[in-house]
């Protein structure tokens, strides 16, 4: 199967799977789920391609259910490591300077996402690139109840890990997908950033409303100052 590299060739899902096999998939899922260095890895398109290759028999001899179980395990354990890292690092994470692989902006976005959606953010964030890497860390920084974390971690890891893999497996039986795999991978990437786009538009709309509401209120003191000046 030939795919279009979505970015550097070494981040192409087909290349990664062909080079490192299922072990490579599991390592990447683990890293993207909770390690700071894993935020740039191709999680969604990688899982989709994995499901497709398992269905066509191009990956290995393991059955689909076993692959899904291993992917879910890697995702859950990755989030667990991220949570423990967050608890240990604590507030110092927000003071860490920017570098090539670390941007304070990513931490702040994940923190806002966590504050807005609470525990269920661990489920929702699974489907949002970059945010899914930092959310379990933020949960640890916030010292989220451990039992709640485990519950939502397992739910999110299962829905994302098994769900996207099964989607690739299901569509792997469709001839159209085989003929247009490049377009399908691009579509997966675009769909994965839709939540970010929606949140951006909502935040922009909210800021405009707040600015419009603050406008008249800001004019009142200046008008009062004008009357006092005339007196």
């Amino acid at each position: 199967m030939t795919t279009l590299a979505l970015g550097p060739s070494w981040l192409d899902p087909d290349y990664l799977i062909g080079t490192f096999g299922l072990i490579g998939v599991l390592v990447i899922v683990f890293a993207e789920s909770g390690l700071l260095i894993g935020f740039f890895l191709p999680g969604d398109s990688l899982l989709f391609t994995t499901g497709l290759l398992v269905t066509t028999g191009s990956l290995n001899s393991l059955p689909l259910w076993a692959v899904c179980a291993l992917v879910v395990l890697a995702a859950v354990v990755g989030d667990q490591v991220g949570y423990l890292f967050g608890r240990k690092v604590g507030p110092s994470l927000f003071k860490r300077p920017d570098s090539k692989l670390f941007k304070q902006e990513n931490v702040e976005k994940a923190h806002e996402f966590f504050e807005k959606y609470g525990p269920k953010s661990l489920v929702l964030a699974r489907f949002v690139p970059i945010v899914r890497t930092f959310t379990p860390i933020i949960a640890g920084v916030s010292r989220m109840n451990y039992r709640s974390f485990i519950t939502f971690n397992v739910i999110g890891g299962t829905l994302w890990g098994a769900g996207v893999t099964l989607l690739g497996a299901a569509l792997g039986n469709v001839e159209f997908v085989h003929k247009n795999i490049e377009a399908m991978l691009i579509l997966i990437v675009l769909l994965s950033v839709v939540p970010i786009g929606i949140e951006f538009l909502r935040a922009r709309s909210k800021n405009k409303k707040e600015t419009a509401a603050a406008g008249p209120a800001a004019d009142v003191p200046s008008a009062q100052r004008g009357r006092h000046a005339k007196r």
Side-chain angles (χ1 to χ4, degrees):
M1 181 179 67
T2 302
T3 61
L4 178 67
L6 305 174
S9 60
W10 52 273
L11 285 180
D12 177 30
D14 191 34
Y15 169 80
L16 290 171
I17 296 173
T19 303
F20 304 104
L22 181 60
I23 297 298
V25 172
L26 299 178
V27 170
I28 290 174
V29 169
F30 170 81
E32 197 191 9
S33 294
L35 300 184
L36 289 176
I37 61 172
F39 71 91
F40 63 90
L41 296 172
D44 300 302
S45 56
L46 183 71
L47 293 183
F48 181 86
T49 305
T50 297
L52 191 154
L53 292 177
V54 170
T55 301
T56 59
S58 303
L59 184 55
N60 55 39
S61 58
L62 285 179
L64 180 61
W65 68 265
V67 172
C68 288
L70 290 174
V71 168
V72 170
L73 179 62
V76 171
V77 174
D79 258 32
Q80 177 68 28
V81 172
Y83 176 85
L84 295 176
F85 175 79
R87 283 186 67 99
K88 183 176 181 180
V89 172
S92 62
L93 182 65
F94 290 88
K95 300 177 183 178
R96 184 173 177 176
D98 286 349
S99 64
K100 290 183 179 180
L101 293 178
F102 179 85
K103 298 295 181 183
Q104 191 62 236
E105 180 185 2
N106 293 332
V107 178
E108 293 171 357
K109 286 181 179 179
H111 184 260
E112 291 174 1
F113 195 88
F114 182 78
E115 289 294 320
K116 182 175 183 179
Y117 295 105
K120 67 179 181 180
S121 64
L122 292 169
V123 177
L124 299 175
R126 286 288 189 178
F127 300 90
V128 184
I130 298 178
V131 173
R132 66 168 155 255
T133 302
F134 289 90
T135 297
I137 298 174
I138 298 300
V141 172
S142 303
R143 296 192 174 273
M144 175 182 176
N145 179 271
Y146 187 68
R147 182 174 296 181
S148 296
F149 172 80
I150 287 293
T151 300
F152 286 96
N153 178 19
V154 172
I155 294 174
T158 301
L159 291 177
W160 177 67
V164 179
T165 304
L166 289 174
L167 177 63
L171 295 180
N173 294 317
V174 180
E175 185 177 355
F176 173 82
V177 175
H178 282 284
K179 293 182 178 180
N180 300 276
I181 185 63
E182 298 93 344
M184 292 302 301
L185 290 180
I186 292 175
L187 179 61
I188 290 294
V189 173
L190 292 177
L191 289 177
S192 67
V193 300
V194 165
I196 295 179
I198 293 175
E199 287 303 315
F200 173 78
L201 293 175
R202 285 180 178 176
R204 186 176 181 182
S205 177
K206 182 179 178 181
N207 289 335
K208 286 184 177 180
K209 290 180 180 179
E210 291 177 349
T211 302
D219 291 338
V220 173
S222 60
Q224 291 177 346
R225 286 195 298 269
R227 288 197 296 271
H228 285 303
K230 290 179 181 180
R231 294 178 184 175

